[in-house]
Amino acid sequence: MKKLTLLILLLSIQLAVMAYPLKITSWQIDTDVKKLNELNISVDYVNRDTQTIIAYVPDDADYQKILSHGFMAEPMPDQAKAYADSLWEATHNSRDPMRAYYTWSEFITFMQNTATQYPDICQLIQFGSSVQNRPLYFMKISDNVTIQENEPEFRWVSSMHGDEVVGYDLLIRLIQLLTTQYPANTRIADIVNNTELWICPMLNPDGYVAHSRYNANGADLNRNFPLPIGSEHPDGMAWQPETIAVMNHGNEQSINLSSNYHGGALVANYPWDYIYPLTPDNAWFVQAALTYSTHNTEMYNSTQFPQGITNGAQWYIAEGTLQDWVYANNACMDLTVEVSNIKWPASTTLDSYWNLNQESILSFIEFIQQGVHGTVTNTSGEPLLATIDLNSTGIDIRTDPQVGDYHRMLLPGNYTLTVYAEGYQTASADVVVSAAAPAIQNFVLEPIQYTQYGGTVIDQAGNAISAANVRLYYGSSSYETQTSSLGEFEFTSIPAGYYILSISTAGNQGFYSEHFVIGADSGRQIIVLSQPLFLDDFSNGLTQWTVQSPWAVITQNSNQVLADSPSGNYSNNVTLSAALSSPVSLLNAYEAYLSFDLKYNLESGYDYLYVNASADGVTWTSLAIYTGVATTWQNFIFPLQAFEGGNLYLQFKLTSDNMVTADGVFIDNVIIRGLRTDQTVYGDSDSNWLIDCSDAENAFAYSYGDNLISGIDPSPWESFRLQSVDVDNDSLVTATDALYIYDRIEQFASFPVQSGPEIEFSDPGLSLIYSPDQVLGFTLSNPSHLKALTLNFSSPDSLAFTGLVWAPNDPDIMYNLEADNCTVSLLCLNDQFPPSDFLTLNAVTSSQFLHCSGTVNDQPVDMDIMMTGLGEEQPPMQATALLGAYPNPFSGLTRMRYYLSKAETSVTLKVFNPRGQLVRTLVDGLQNKGMHAAVFDGRNEQGKLLANGIYYCLLATPGKTCTAKLLILR
């Protein structure tokens, strides 16, 4: 007891010449922590309730420096060191040095003996040495410990601070548990069999031996790592050997989940430590921290930290921490677990710490199995080094190149994974993650095929756009060119795969697509540029913005830009915003995105520019957060898919703390783009503002009554979509429109509806003969002239087409017979023309004639085909019938044809709107038996043009009524 009293007395005398803690009373916790970080003072603990900061100083000179900056600081006895010194003094001559705490030599012996005793599951790996040349050890534990397997990798480190030793004891006990209970304990066996564990109980052996927080160079190892953004040496010291060893190990391995044990508090702490904005994986980190704290009753019931967890920066800003570095640099999810309020507690309490933490430890290790797991290989089954992109929902991860496996911990939900590997085509997959079991998603990547891609860029009027900037983004690679005077561009020898295509012009027309695939046999496309949904270059001042002073528009190099502090530096303790006065509608837009130009000068880690978006102007989502310095203009792009279908509110918000100020932010060319899905874009059937072969196929299918565009419009299409494919402007959708679209893709020109040149057609000499045996024959006097044909057949009685005699066997001849609506369409894209008698059909009907309407090439067809060779014995037609209208849809005139089966029949023919209201009477009186027609000009009784849309024609006689649908399309 006398020795212990003497030791404590000596400690108080030596405070001025050795490292020790300080108690700092603070009424401005964040401000004071910031100042201490700037002075490179190691902050150890913060209690906002008691307004207390505990910091460590390496010597009395730093203590005096703190006092000189106005801090209320007083030295504290280093209780951890005092207890460790006394424990060592009391036991070092005994057979049980330090009693329950392993001495350094005992620890080395334990690690070596364990690896020797359990060689099947243990491997002792020295991954570095300390300043004083003590080895740094990982115990690697796995069922096939010398083999790299397809399983997640877990790392646990303790005692970066040499005087925080509860974690040291816990990890020794964890090694003992895993080795002695394997394989008899099923739970332990599952962990060892399905996880590669790396356990380092002591990262700072020099500090442990000296009973000190610091390493032998006086460095706080948990302030010695590079910042994710910014300084490589935030503590002002060189990287220490222990730090370098951890970084090398992290870069060499593919650790997925890790934790580092500390002492002095009781809380599970998650990134970021160095800045206030949350990580993209914040929701996952909260759940991971709860997985640990929930099973530790003292931690979970903390009065200082709700549920025993905290975000690092919300507790206090710490720069250069291990958890920030491994998350940013290695995409490894890491927690800093403060496992004991007392840094070096009495050795008699270690059993109770193990009892409190054992379930937390095992549950946290098991947490690595949730999410999505898989491999990335090539077609030969070889593993690939690949990047797994979660498309902005979390940090990207990489595969382990030795096995090609990846393990991405995710909360339950729906995710899209995109995989990039150098030399291979990109692949994507939608994955559903459940809480019940991990999702498995393997990828087999095809080698890159090199291809060329080109096209033509036009505006909505069909005019070529020259000097447009065309960019392709492929993973981290990009390709760029400009359009020629004809609007054409070409990329040669580029990898086939998933691209983002971006096109912009000086006139601010543009195009952007995140779902753009170029195959090895890519054809050409016509890209139609759209006007922005919103654009402001601030040349008109703040007319579209609501701002908080001093936000204003200023002139820089003869250019108007938006600035947060036009007269100099921004002020301290401000939160000031510039927001759009009115929302931008994204109701009928897709592939929407925001772009703007930005440069900024902000105090790194403390002052921020937030770019916020909202669907209602109340709940805001941060698209981006900027801090630090970027002195040159940069362009930034952010997808807005989450806001499509509604309104978009936009806000730029500057926040600053109560210390250093700077020049602030400058913003220009704020643009919101989106591809409108409700606009007529000639040649574009599916509203993606691309004109390609799929549009021609859609138009051709619609010509015979089919609809290939899944999930957009049912038949009939909406008027703007019909207008888009009626490129020859004849109020019909026929094979001729499809031919024009194909032609314009290969040889650019505006469509006829845009005053472009028409295709020079020749008459193929089509004849139709309907014989007594109900066979419909098609003949061509000049078959080489046939390019496009769409014909619809009708009769007063039922009609059925059967018995197709000929069909083309050529990929460039598109042909379809639609039996339900008796429509024939044909398209010839090469010189392999059909034979002169190219088609024969069975047309089953009791009628004496068929009516045929449609187009051959670009010429309209409207004729009656009489059955030949019929004698008087043939029965007369029996039924009154309304045969429909031609053309239909129509913009000017259409002719309504109908058959009356009785003489001196009272007839009315009327047109109604969809609400059943009469808009026009075409016929009202007595008519004879036979075929009749009435012309309708699309006007009502008062002579006013009717609006575009669907109408109904009603034929009424004493014995029968018939209806037909009309579509006015101008």
Side-chain angles (χ1 to χ4, degrees):
M1 188 68 186
K2 291 181 180 179
K3 289 184 178 180
L4 178 60
T5 303
L6 178 62
L7 186 64
I8 295 175
L9 177 62
L10 290 172
L11 173 67
S12 63
I13 295 173
Q14 293 175 353
L15 282 175
V17 295
M18 63 189 303
Y20 54 90
L22 299 174
K23 177 181 179 181
I24 300 172
T25 302
S26 171
W27 288 270
Q28 295 179 312
I29 292 287
D30 293 330
T31 299
D32 288 343
V33 167
K34 176 183 176 183
K35 189 61 179 178
L36 290 168
N37 287 336
E38 291 174 349
L39 295 172
N40 290 324
I41 301 299
S42 179
V43 176
D44 177 63
Y45 175 81
V46 166
N47 190 319
R48 296 177 183 272
D49 295 333
T50 62
Q51 298 176 321
T52 301
I53 300 172
I54 305 299
Y56 274 75
V57 290
D59 52 41
D60 193 55
D62 272 6
Y63 173 43
Q64 295 300 322
K65 180 170 63 174
I66 287 176
L67 294 177
S68 70
H69 281 81
F71 285 95
M72 296 179 59
E74 56 180 328
M76 297 174 60
D78 192 340
Q79 295 176 341
K81 179 172 176 56
Y83 175 74
D85 288 346
S86 66
L87 189 61
W88 171 253
E89 182 65 24
T91 65
H92 75 279
N93 291 323
S94 71
R95 297 182 61 185
D96 184 19
M98 296 186 70
R99 295 191 181 95
Y101 283 107
Y102 278 37
T103 63
W104 178 247
S105 61
E106 288 175 330
F107 171 70
I108 295 297
T109 299
F110 164 75
M111 297 288 275
Q112 292 173 343
N113 287 347
T114 299
T116 301
Q117 187 175 356
Y118 302 98
D120 292 339
I121 62 170
C122 289
Q123 188 176 23
L124 185 62
I125 296 175
Q126 181 176 350
F127 67 102
S129 299
S130 68
V131 173
Q132 295 176 342
N133 208 34
R134 292 183 173 91
L136 303 177
Y137 282 136
F138 270 117
M139 183 67 76
K140 181 183 176 185
I141 299 178
S142 184
D143 58 338
N144 295 299
V145 71
T146 61
I147 301 173
Q148 197 74 12
E149 297 182 277
N150 176 9
E151 57 188 14
E153 300 183 28
F154 185 98
R155 176 180 60 211
W156 215 312
V157 169
S158 184
S159 302
M160 300 175 67
H161 297 147
D163 60 348
E164 298 173 7
V165 293
V166 171
Y168 170 61
D169 182 77
L170 291 177
L171 294 188
I172 290 173
R173 292 175 187 247
L174 174 61
I175 293 172
Q176 291 172 329
L177 176 67
L178 296 174
T179 53
T180 61
Q181 296 297 308
Y182 181 86
N185 184 310
T186 302
R187 186 181 188 186
I188 299 302
D190 285 343
I191 289 174
V192 174
N193 290 341
N194 297 300
T195 318
E196 181 178 294
L197 297 112
W198 296 80
I199 303 173
C200 173
M202 179 53 65
L203 185 59
N204 184 1
D206 297 350
Y208 177 66
V209 170
H211 308 158
S212 170
R213 174 185 184 87
Y214 300 100
N215 78 342
N217 283 336
D220 182 335
L221 296 180
N222 206 34
R223 304 294 185 272
N224 192 238
F225 288 87
L227 289 179
I229 302 174
S231 171
E232 291 188 337
H233 304 286
D235 59 350
M237 299 187 71
W239 293 334
Q240 299 300 296
E242 299 90 343
T243 307
I244 293 171
V246 171
M247 291 194 295
N248 287 342
H249 182 265
N251 292 333
E252 292 166 1
Q253 300 301 317
S254 298
I255 308 296
N256 307 113
L257 178 61
S258 63
S259 180
N260 63 98
Y261 267 141
H262 288 258
L266 199 58
V267 65
N269 172 17
Y270 54 88
W272 299 109
D273 283 326
Y274 81 108
I275 55 173
Y276 294 113
L278 302 174
T279 70
D281 289 293
N282 185 71
W284 182 92
F285 273 119
V286 169
Q287 190 58 48
L290 285 171
T291 298
Y292 194 97
S293 71
T294 299
H295 300 289
N296 185 318
T297 54
E298 290 187 9
M299 184 181 293
Y300 188 81
N301 294 321
S302 168
T303 58
Q304 182 180 356
F305 304 103
Q307 297 182 294
I309 68 174
T310 185
N311 168 259
Q314 291 300 317
W315 185 14
Y316 64 90
I317 292 287
E319 297 180 339
T321 63
L322 171 61
Q323 73 174 13
D324 281 4
W325 181 81
V326 297
Y327 177 64
N329 190 74
N330 298 141
C332 173
M333 322 292 265
D334 188 276
L335 296 185
T336 299
V337 180
E338 301 277 354
V339 78
S340 60
N341 287 314
I342 302 172
K343 289 176 177 290
W344 204 313
S347 58
T348 56
T349 65
L350 292 177
D351 285 346
S352 65
Y353 281 108
W354 174 247
N355 293 334
L356 272 173
N357 287 278
Q358 180 179 349
E359 181 57 35
S360 294
I361 291 170
L362 297 180
S363 295
F364 189 60
I365 294 174
E366 291 167 333
F367 196 57
I368 201 173
Q369 298 297 339
Q370 57 88 65
V372 58
H373 306 256
T375 58
V376 182
T377 60
N378 60 20
T379 53
S380 300
E382 299 169 328
L384 296 178
L385 174 61
T387 297
I388 315 295
D389 180 1
L390 276 137
N391 298 308
S392 303
T393 60
I395 197 168
D396 297 348
I397 63 169
R398 292 182 294 273
T399 60
D400 185 329
Q402 296 182 63
V403 180
D405 61 319
Y406 72 93
H407 308 273
R408 185 54 162 94
M409 291 158 290
L410 295 168
L411 297 179
N414 299 324
Y415 301 89
T416 299
L417 275 58
T418 302
V419 181
Y420 304 93
E422 186 176 353
Y424 292 86
Q425 297 182 42
T426 302
S428 293
D430 294 326
V431 175
V432 179
V433 173
S434 71
I440 305 299
Q441 180 62 58
N442 298 321
F443 293 90
V444 178
L445 302 189
E446 299 283 344
I448 280 181
Q449 301 178 51
Y450 287 88
T451 185
Q452 60 185 24
Y453 169 67
T456 304
V457 180
I458 64 173
D459 61 21
Q460 269 189 272
N463 303 311
I465 296 179
S466 62
N469 293 315
V470 184
R471 297 180 181 88
L472 290 175
Y473 300 95
Y474 179 82
S476 59
S477 302
S478 63
Y479 306 87
E480 184 173 355
T481 189
Q482 279 196 334
T483 57
S484 68
S485 60
L486 298 177
E488 297 176 335
F489 68 90
E490 190 80 28
F491 292 99
T492 59
S493 190
I494 61 173
Y498 176 90
Y499 282 85
I500 293 175
L501 170 64
S502 173
I503 303 177
S504 59
T505 68
N508 281 311
Q509 294 185 97
F511 180 90
Y512 181 88
S513 174
E514 288 192 321
H515 309 285
F516 195 75
V517 179
I518 297 177
D521 56 350
S522 298
R524 296 179 63 84
Q525 291 179 312
I526 298 175
I527 297 99
V528 185
L529 300 195
S530 64
Q531 295 291 341
L533 302 176
F534 174 86
L535 166 66
D536 198 347
D537 62 2
F538 301 104
S539 58
N540 293 319
L542 291 171
T543 55
Q544 302 188 83
W545 299 82
T546 300
V547 303
Q548 294 175 296
S549 181
W551 280 94
V553 172
I554 64 172
T555 302
Q556 282 191 350
N557 299 322
S558 303
N559 190 40
Q560 303 296 104
V561 300
L562 178 64
D564 70 297
S565 49
S567 300
N569 289 2
Y570 54 81
S571 301
N572 287 321
N573 293 320
V574 297
T575 299
L576 301 170
S577 66
L580 286 182
S581 301
S582 301
V584 177
S585 175
L586 302 183
L587 181 62
N588 293 302
Y590 88 109
E591 299 286 13
Y593 70 96
L594 164 72
S595 70
F596 55 86
D597 296 332
L598 174 68
K599 61 180 181 178
Y600 54 93
N601 186 347
L602 302 165
E603 184 189 13
S604 180
Y606 293 95
D607 301 335
Y608 302 94
L609 172 70
Y610 294 83
V611 183
N612 296 329
S614 173
D616 57 11
V618 177
T619 303
W620 295 90
T621 299
S622 291
L623 302 178
I625 305 170
Y626 300 93
T627 188
V629 179
T631 57
T632 59
W633 286 104
Q634 299 179 48
N635 180 255
F636 296 95
I637 294 176
F638 299 96
L640 298 173
Q641 280 85 348
F643 301 93
E644 292 172 2
N647 287 326
L648 172 75
Y649 295 79
L650 181 65
Q651 176 194 77
F652 295 97
K653 183 173 71 174
L654 176 82
T655 66
S656 66
D657 69 351
N658 60 357
M659 295 182 69
V660 179
T661 65
D663 200 19
V665 300
F666 303 91
I667 301 167
D668 199 7
N669 297 321
V670 179
I671 303 174
I672 298 171
R673 299 191 188 280
L675 304 178
R676 294 291 301 269
T677 61
D678 59 347
Q679 286 189 1
T680 297
V681 180
Y682 287 110
D684 176 25
S685 65
D686 48 13
S687 299
N688 64 359
W689 295 63
L690 293 171
I691 304 171
D692 55 23
C693 292
S694 65
D695 294 300
E697 293 168 1
N698 292 336
F700 182 70
Y702 197 81
S703 73
Y704 56 79
D706 201 357
N707 182 7
L708 298 181
I709 311 176
S710 175
I712 295 183
D713 294 340
S715 293
W717 287 347
E718 294 183 39
S719 59
F720 76 88
R721 198 175 311 283
L722 288 169
Q723 287 176 329
S724 294
V725 294
D726 180 22
V727 294
D728 61 358
N729 201 29
D730 65 354
S731 300
L732 298 171
V733 177
T734 67
T736 308
D737 296 303
L739 181 66
Y740 267 109
I741 296 173
Y742 276 119
D743 182 67
R744 296 318 188 225
I745 293 168
E746 295 302 322
Q747 299 184 16
F748 167 73
S750 297
F751 296 110
V753 72
Q754 298 168 314
S755 301
E758 297 185 355
I759 298 174
E760 294 184 1
F761 291 108
S762 298
D763 183 8
L766 174 69
S767 297
L768 302 171
I769 300 175
Y770 186 33
S771 65
D773 55 358
Q774 297 186 328
V775 173
L776 180 63
F778 295 68
T779 62
L780 299 170
S781 60
N782 296 297
S784 63
H785 294 166
L786 181 63
K787 296 297 182 181
L789 174 149
T790 298
L791 296 177
N792 176 262
F793 297 87
S794 60
S795 73
D797 299 303
S798 63
L799 174 65
F801 275 9
T802 62
L804 178 63
V805 175
W806 173 87
N809 186 22
D810 188 302
D812 288 334
I813 298 180
M814 300 174 66
Y815 171 87
N816 192 82
L817 165 67
E818 186 62 39
D820 290 342
N821 60 20
C822 301
T823 300
V824 176
S825 282
L826 182 140
L827 192 61
C828 295
L829 301 178
N830 62 15
D831 295 331
Q832 303 300 314
F833 300 99
S836 59
D837 53 346
F838 72 101
L839 183 65
T840 303
L841 300 173
N842 290 332
V844 180
T845 180
S846 60
S847 300
Q848 293 178 314
F849 69 91
L850 296 178
H851 180 70
C852 173
S853 61
T855 61
V856 176
N857 289 347
D858 63 342
Q859 296 303 307
V861 173
D862 186 24
M863 68 176 74
D864 292 324
I865 307 165
M866 304 305 297
M867 295 181 67
T868 60
L870 292 177
E872 294 182 357
E873 72 277 11
Q874 292 294 329
M877 293 178 60
Q878 298 297 318
T880 294
L882 178 60
L883 300 179
Y886 180 82
N888 189 24
F890 69 98
S891 60
L893 301 176
T894 189
R895 186 169 62 145
M896 305 296 301
R897 298 173 59 84
Y898 56 99
Y899 177 81
L900 301 178
S901 62
K902 296 181 180 179
E904 295 296 319
T905 300
S906 176
V907 181
T908 60
L909 186 65
K910 298 179 179 182
V911 179
F912 296 86
N913 65 23
R915 291 178 291 179
Q917 298 169 321
L918 178 66
V919 296
R920 182 76 175 273
T921 299
L922 301 176
V923 176
D924 187 4
L926 295 176
Q927 290 186 330
N928 289 322
K929 176 182 177 181
M931 188 66 67
H932 298 270
V935 175
F936 178 42
D937 60 2
R939 297 175 184 269
N940 63 15
E941 298 286 10
Q942 291 74 40
K944 294 183 62 176
L945 286 173
L946 296 172
N948 284 354
I950 295 174
Y951 294 84
Y952 296 92
C953 184
L954 176 67
L955 174 72
T957 67
K960 189 170 185 179
T961 59
C962 307
T963 60
K965 187 183 294 184
L966 303 174
L967 179 59
I968 300 176
L969 180 60
R970 298 185 178 90

